[in-house]
Amino acid sequence: MLFALAQWLQGDFHLLRVFNYLSFRAVMAALTALAMGLACGPRVIRLLHALKVGQTVRNDGPSAHLSKSGTPTMGGALILIGIAASVLLWANLDNRFVWVVMAVTMGFGWIGWVDDYRKIVHQNPRGMSAREKYGWQSLIGALAAFYLMFAISEPGAAEMIERLIAWWRGGFSMTLPAHTNLQLPFMKSISYPLGAAGFIALTYFVIVGASNAINLTDGLDGLVIMPVVLAGGALGVFAYVMGNAVYSKYLLFPHIPGAGELLIFCAAMGGAGLAFLWYNTHPAQLFMGDVGALALGGALGTIAVIVRQEIVLFVMGGVFVAETLSVMLQVVWFKYTRRRYGEGRRLFRMAPLHHHFELAGWKETQVVVRFWIITLMLVLVGLSTLKLR
């Protein structure tokens, strides 16, 4: 809204031309979200306490976590409010990519809110059934994938509609432009053409997979939010490069018109995330809940698809990947050994992976900070692909 107002008034007030710079609006978006989160945090915590929206701790988890029972959860709503308000204030609201990322983020946030609500009302740590949760995630992920296939292929809304009509008349077959190919890190001239079906399948997997991976990682005070801020900030840099015709050409990346505006969203997510960390650091006064974890994962996945950095997100989110794989391996190994030996055995002391290290003797703060350090190193590796090609 402020961007549109500045565009309208800058003919009379030349100072408002500063709004044309993405860097300025990104900084202001981050500061706005940070200030809102810090200011509203105490009120949100008091409100959640009054509503008795307390975390129900798993009985089979580490014993040290039993003291966390009753800590207000659903704090991810604080992050989403900060992101939404900041983006609406500072972003160009005519940008199609801003709206699709917002839609996915709020859609996944709604799924998480319902899940958290059921956990609290029914005092059931499991929340929504896996089938129901995955069904809603799949619907949003599939719709986003279908839309992005046209949005990334064309520079504007009119061209998108023309391509959609051509796709319909062509019997649902379509050749996608080269910039929709799967980009390989460190390779300046090698990319993999996906085709329409491949693009939709990959996009769906990245969005839904990232959402669930971050949700699985959210289990310790402050563990998940800092890696999200770091990965989101790096994706903001990629968005800035992809959206700029000069920089993308110089660095040998595909130019995605309009992608640069996602820097505003990434900055807002960073500011809101840091504000949340203020209250989520050990010992946490507020938990994120599924409302935040699912939403932030969906946002990161959607942005990675738009800027064509799905593999780089996989690298930068190595902690999320490891946490998810630990759960999958634990389940597979337990079922295999139960079938083979008559008794299920565990590959890890407990999954997700952060609980394994807790039970191995690491303090909660040690696990969190060490995972942050690992994420920082992986994000730097991801950013190095900007030049090392």
Side-chain angles (χ1 to χ4, degrees):
M1 289 184 285
L2 291 179
F3 175 77
L5 182 62
Q7 291 285 94
W8 181 49
L9 294 175
Q10 66 181 238
D12 298 319
F13 302 95
H14 298 306
L15 181 63
L16 294 179
R17 291 179 181 177
V18 71
F19 279 77
N20 294 330
Y21 292 95
L22 277 172
S23 54
F24 169 77
R25 289 189 285 123
V27 170
M28 297 307 297
L31 291 176
T32 300
L34 177 62
M36 286 186 62
L38 292 176
C40 298
R43 299 178 184 178
V44 170
I45 293 172
R46 288 195 298 268
L47 176 62
L48 294 176
H49 268 301
L51 296 175
K52 298 181 180 180
V53 183
Q55 177 71 29
T56 302
V57 178
R58 291 170 50 183
N59 294 326
D60 57 344
S63 58
H65 288 205
L66 296 177
S67 62
K68 300 182 179 185
S69 181
T71 301
T73 188
M74 300 178 73
L78 180 66
I79 302 175
L80 298 186
I81 292 171
I83 291 174
S86 188
V87 169
L88 290 175
L89 282 174
W90 298 104
N92 178 4
L93 300 183
D94 291 332
N95 187 283
R96 62 194 186 282
F97 293 132
V98 169
W99 284 111
V100 69
V101 174
M102 284 284 287
V104 171
T105 303
M106 297 306 163
F108 277 82
W110 172 79
I111 297 172
W113 185 89
V114 173
D115 189 30
D116 287 334
Y117 178 80
R118 293 185 183 179
K119 289 177 184 177
I120 295 163
V121 171
H122 300 290
Q123 295 293 302
N124 177 14
R126 305 297 178 182
M128 292 175 71
S129 68
R131 179 178 297 181
E132 183 181 8
K133 183 188 294 186
Y134 185 69
W136 284 110
Q137 287 178 311
S138 296
L139 177 61
I140 296 173
L143 290 175
F146 181 78
Y147 176 82
L148 289 175
M149 179 175 65
F150 296 97
I152 297 174
S153 298
E154 301 297 341
E159 294 86 351
M160 284 174 54
I161 295 174
E162 291 178 3
R163 181 172 282 271
L164 176 61
I165 295 173
W167 172 75
W168 176 273
R169 292 176 176 174
F172 306 108
S173 63
M174 179 173 56
T175 301
L176 298 180
H179 62 259
T180 62
N181 293 351
L182 178 63
Q183 304 295 315
L184 302 180
F186 304 108
M187 302 293 179
K188 62 182 178 181
S189 58
I190 301 177
S191 61
Y192 185 78
L194 296 169
F199 180 92
I200 290 175
L202 177 65
T203 300
Y204 166 85
F205 172 79
V206 171
I207 294 175
V208 177
S211 177
N212 285 304
I214 290 179
N215 193 35
L216 288 172
T217 307
D218 183 29
L220 301 180
D221 297 350
L223 175 60
V224 76
I225 189 60
M226 182 55 74
V228 166
V229 169
L230 292 172
L235 287 175
V237 174
F238 279 102
Y240 185 75
V241 170
M242 302 300 179
N244 188 293
V246 176
Y247 293 158
S248 59
K249 181 180 180 180
Y250 172 71
L251 294 172
L252 304 175
F253 279 99
H255 175 48
I256 312 293
E261 201 66 26
L262 292 178
L263 176 62
I264 309 302
F265 184 97
C266 293
M269 183 166 58
L274 291 176
F276 175 78
L277 180 61
W278 184 272
Y279 303 104
N280 185 237
T281 190
H282 185 77
Q285 300 173 263
L286 185 66
F287 290 149
M288 181 182 296
D290 287 6
V291 63
L294 292 178
L296 293 175
L300 289 181
T302 307
I303 296 170
V305 169
I306 294 171
V307 300
R308 313 308 304 132
Q309 298 301 315
E310 299 92 340
I311 297 178
V312 171
L313 176 62
F314 184 87
V315 173
M316 296 191 300
V319 165
F320 308 137
V321 175
E323 295 270 28
T324 304
L325 289 177
S326 70
V327 174
M328 296 171 63
L329 291 172
Q330 185 88 314
V331 172
V332 171
W333 182 250
F334 186 86
K335 291 183 177 180
Y336 170 75
T337 53
R338 184 173 59 184
R339 185 168 55 251
R340 173 135 189 190
Y341 303 110
E343 179 183 8
R345 302 176 183 177
R346 299 180 186 274
L347 194 60
F348 302 97
R349 288 182 171 89
M350 186 177 178
L353 191 61
H354 54 262
H355 290 320
H356 169 81
F357 288 112
E358 276 193 291
L359 296 177
W362 291 17
K363 294 181 180 179
E364 180 174 350
T365 50
Q366 287 179 311
V367 178
V368 170
V369 174
R370 287 169 180 173
F371 277 33
W372 287 1
I373 294 171
I374 292 171
T375 300
L376 176 59
M377 292 188 294
L378 293 174
V379 166
L380 292 176
V381 172
L383 287 172
S384 71
T385 64
L386 282 166
K387 187 61 179 175
L388 300 179
R389 296 172 63 80

